[in-house]
């Protein structure tokens, strides 16, 4: 399955979970997609691994300079700090909302679905996440399940880095299918 001619945004910020950004990035590139790291600030942002600061990555685009119509799909890595920063950025929340409103594929893992709550994109959706945000998602109207990977109409979600193999396969499949 090729993602040639697909353009994907990875929306992230400081404190992303290292594997939840780098593994999707590498898989998307392997499949032929053009991928941009989009963040609230320019320069570099730093990830976390096992609760320690880890690798940095260069930001390709700041949120102020992009819109959902520039991309075919969106990836939201987890990490505890990252989604909290994004949820407090009006432009980031609107960016996510625009993907959801336009039924473009979104892949969110671990704490990544927190940003979907603020974007109003989980009500009535079946999804999963890191267990600690289960109640937050349920309170926002989501049907939360404890499964390795869940797909609901182009929305791909997984719980933790150990779910990455299944998450990556479904992410690629949904992006290849396009709008839902």
């Amino acid at each position: 399955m090729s993602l040639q001619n697909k353009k994907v945004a990875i929306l992230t910020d400081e404190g992303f979970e290292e594997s939840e950004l780098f593994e999707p990035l590498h898989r998307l590139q392997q499949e032929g997609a053009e991928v941009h790291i989009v963040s609230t600030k320019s320069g570099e942002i730093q990830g976390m691994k096992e609760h320690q600061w880890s690798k940095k990555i260069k930001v390709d685009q700041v949120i102020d300079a992009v819109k959902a119509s520039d991309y075919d799909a969106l990836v939201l890595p987890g990490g505890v700090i990252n989604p909290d920063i994004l949820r407090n950025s009006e432009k980031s929340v609107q960016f996510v909302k625009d993907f959801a409103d336009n039924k473009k594929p979104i892949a969110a893992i671990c704490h990544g679905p927190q940003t979907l709550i603020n974007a109003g994109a989980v009500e009535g959706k079946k999804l999963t996440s890191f267990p600690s945000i289960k109640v937050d998602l349920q309170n926002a109207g989501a049907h939360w399940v404890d499964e390795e990977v869940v797909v609901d109409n182009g929305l791909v979600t997984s719980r933790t880095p150990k779910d990455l193999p299944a998450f990556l396969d479904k992410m690629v499949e949904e992006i290849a299918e396009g709008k839902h």
Side-chain angles (χ1 to χ4, degrees):
M1 193 172 313
S2 172
L3 298 182
Q4 294 293 332
N5 303 317
K6 296 286 186 179
K7 197 169 169 187
V8 181
I10 298 180
L11 179 62
T12 190
D13 217 294
E14 295 288 347
F16 60 85
E17 178 63 38
E18 182 182 303
S19 62
E20 295 170 358
L21 183 146
F22 285 100
E23 289 189 35
L25 171 64
H26 294 142
R27 178 68 182 274
L28 289 164
Q29 290 171 331
Q30 245 180 340
E31 300 288 344
E34 179 183 342
V35 186
H36 291 168
I37 303 299
V38 178
S39 189
T40 62
K41 63 181 193 173
S42 61
E44 287 185 331
I45 53 174
Q46 190 167 13
M48 303 281 292
K49 183 177 182 177
E50 297 168 9
H51 307 289
Q52 300 294 318
W53 290 104
S54 65
K55 289 184 184 176
K56 291 182 179 184
I57 192 164
K58 183 186 173 300
V59 172
D60 297 308
Q61 296 285 341
V62 291
I63 193 67
D64 297 341
V66 296
K67 49 193 180 304
S69 59
D70 297 335
Y71 297 96
D72 299 297
L74 175 66
V75 177
L76 297 168
V80 179
I81 300 167
N82 164 43
D84 203 52
I85 293 171
L86 295 176
R87 292 171 79 177
N88 282 297
S89 160
E90 266 183 54
K91 289 193 174 172
S92 296
V93 170
Q94 186 62 50
F95 188 66
V96 173
K97 183 178 180 350
D98 290 345
F99 275 91
D101 289 350
N102 288 291
K103 301 187 181 348
K104 291 183 177 186
I106 300 172
I109 187 167
C110 196
H111 288 78
Q114 284 182 306
T115 310
L116 294 169
I117 293 170
N118 288 50
V122 299
E123 189 171 352
K125 297 280 187 186
K126 180 181 176 186
L127 51 74
T128 194
S129 67
F130 193 76
S132 68
I133 65 168
K134 170 186 175 179
V135 173
D136 299 330
L137 288 160
Q138 289 172 327
N139 287 342
H143 173 64
W144 190 92
V145 294
D146 185 11
E147 295 174 15
E148 161 179 79
V149 64
V150 177
V151 180
D152 185 338
N153 222 16
L155 175 62
V156 181
T157 53
S158 284
R159 303 168 298 191
T160 68
K162 71 177 175 51
D163 297 331
L164 276 164
F167 177 76
L168 298 175
D169 288 345
K170 285 296 181 187
M171 171 191 74
V172 168
E173 185 180 316
E174 294 302 304
I175 293 171
E177 286 176 12
K179 282 188 177 187
H180 287 72

